[in-house]
Amino acid sequence: MERRRMGDGTRAVRAGLPEPQKYEPTLPGPVFAAHYHLPGDPTGPYTYGRDENPTWTHLERAIGELEAPGDSDVETVVFASGMAAISAVLFSQLKAGDAVVLPSDGYQALPLVREQLEAYGIEVRTAPTGGDAQLAALDGARLLWIETPSNPGLDVCDIRRLVAAAHAGGALVAVDNTLATPLGQRPLELGADFSVASDTKGLTGHGDILLGHVTCRDAESAASVRRWRKIVGAIPGPMEAWLAHRSLATLHLRVDRQCATALALAEALSAREDVSGLRYPGLPGDASHRVAAGQMRRFGSVVSFVLPDRERAERFLDRLRLVDDATSFGGVRSTAERRGRWGGDAVPEGFIRFSVGAEDAEDLVPDVLRALDEAGGQAG
Ligand SMILES: *Cc1c(COP(=O)(O)O)cnc(C)c1O
């Protein structure tokens, strides 16, 4: 009960910490172990390093407290990457003959996953995120996969509405919560069965580790996801897990700063004639704003927009001084990229995905506006 009343900052700095022990650090250091001392019958919690690790346990508790505050029934399983977490849910929950509904505008590795699912005899249907279009593909499906806000287009769907329809038809629902982080959106509270994320992005936020997690409430589902991790061995290293836990202590500071600056940047961009297709779910005029405001508590660090053509976009990226031209998002250092360079996403040549970091808005926004001016050949 006490935890339910805590603010996000308090919860983030304390999440997953064990009971204090005299002469021990507040957050115990990483445990490097392939095996544990185990005389007699092999009973847990710690037997072999691919099955369990105390550093994962602390991190899993921490993420669970953020995903579902005050709910001690949830279980979290951490993975070596976001894709490991996503694959664990899809491949542990689906079998030949099942149908799954994926977003057609989701993360760029989903088409690869689709090929693999189909090779195993699973029917894959896709529909866009915007306008809750996945509703029309649900009939008889076993699992609905939602990514909201979608990456990179930043469309939003109504999680509660999709969950109600999916559950009525007997389908489970998983939400890729990478972009929002648990401080931005709590899918389990909105009815989803699985909250899944790449913690490579905003959750760890420093662009230096790959990690993923699955959180769910149903013990059987959790056990099947855990079993999948054991079979496939997609386990995080103890050092990565410990760094991730350490990073959670600043999650609220980072996310609050990033969201405030993202809004300031989006507002500044909305006044530009050279910018079209501007999207940020936190912008009151954005097509996603109404639905986003009904389910998100913070709107994320990613802003997307379109410059007139490829050359203009490349010049813009080249002229930025405080922003690295790099993929990924959610880190403390701003990054931006011309998304079309990868192929695969249905975006215009001049489409920019911009990830707002923890710089001062007073520095970052002028840097972006100057780079736009220079890219367009205008005097700064
Ligand atoms: C990056 C990303 C992933 C994949 O995560 P990795 O940690 O790179 O494996 C999945 N979903 C979304 C929305 C992402 O942005």
Side-chain angles (χ1 to χ4, degrees), residues 38-199:
L38 188 69
D41 288 335
T43 52
Y46 302 107
T47 57
Y48 185 62
R50 180 167 24 78
D51 298 351
E52 282 301 342
N53 177 296
T55 311
W56 306 345
T57 307
H58 291 137
L59 176 62
E60 288 172 343
R61 285 195 189 130
I63 294 173
E65 286 172 24
L66 299 177
E67 287 275 9
D71 184 343
S72 54
D73 288 342
V74 298
E75 273 192 67
T76 297
V77 186
V78 289
F79 286 88
S81 69
M83 283 314 298
I86 289 171
S87 298
V89 172
L90 290 169
F91 290 100
S92 70
Q93 303 304 309
L94 296 168
K95 59 182 186 321
D98 285 343
V100 57
V101 181
L102 301 180
S104 56
D105 50 355
Y107 183 64
Q108 58 174 359
L110 287 183
L112 299 175
V113 176
R114 173 187 193 147
E115 275 176 38
Q116 199 59 49
L117 290 165
E118 287 174 343
Y120 290 153
I122 294 156
E123 182 198 339
V124 179
R125 305 172 190 162
T126 61
T129 299
D132 300 339
Q134 288 178 305
L135 280 175
L138 279 178
D139 197 27
R142 166 83 184 129
L143 178 68
L144 166 64
W145 192 271
I146 292 173
E147 186 180 315
T148 181
S150 63
N151 171 30
L154 301 180
D155 275 327
V156 167
C157 60
D158 184 335
I159 297 178
R160 289 186 195 87
R161 183 175 179 223
L162 284 158
V163 165
H167 284 175
L172 295 169
V173 180
V175 176
D176 183 330
N177 204 35
T178 301
L179 197 142
T181 84
L183 292 198
Q185 178 169 277
R186 300 202 289 243
L188 298 187
E189 291 180 357
L190 299 168
D193 301 286
F194 300 92
S195 179
V196 186
S198 166
D199 302 326

Side-chain angles (χ1 to χ4, degrees), residues 4 23 37 71 86 88 93 98 107 130 192-193 224 230 273 283 289 293 306 318-319 335 339 341 346 363:
R4 198 175 285 282
Y23 309 129
H37 188 57
D71 184 343
I86 289 171
Q93 303 304 309
D98 285 343
Y107 183 64
D193 301 286
S224 60
K230 174 178 170 134
E273 285 191 353
L283 207 54
H289 185 68
V306 181
D318 184 56
R319 298 297 198 280
T335 59
R339 194 64 187 170
R341 64 180 173 167
D363 296 323

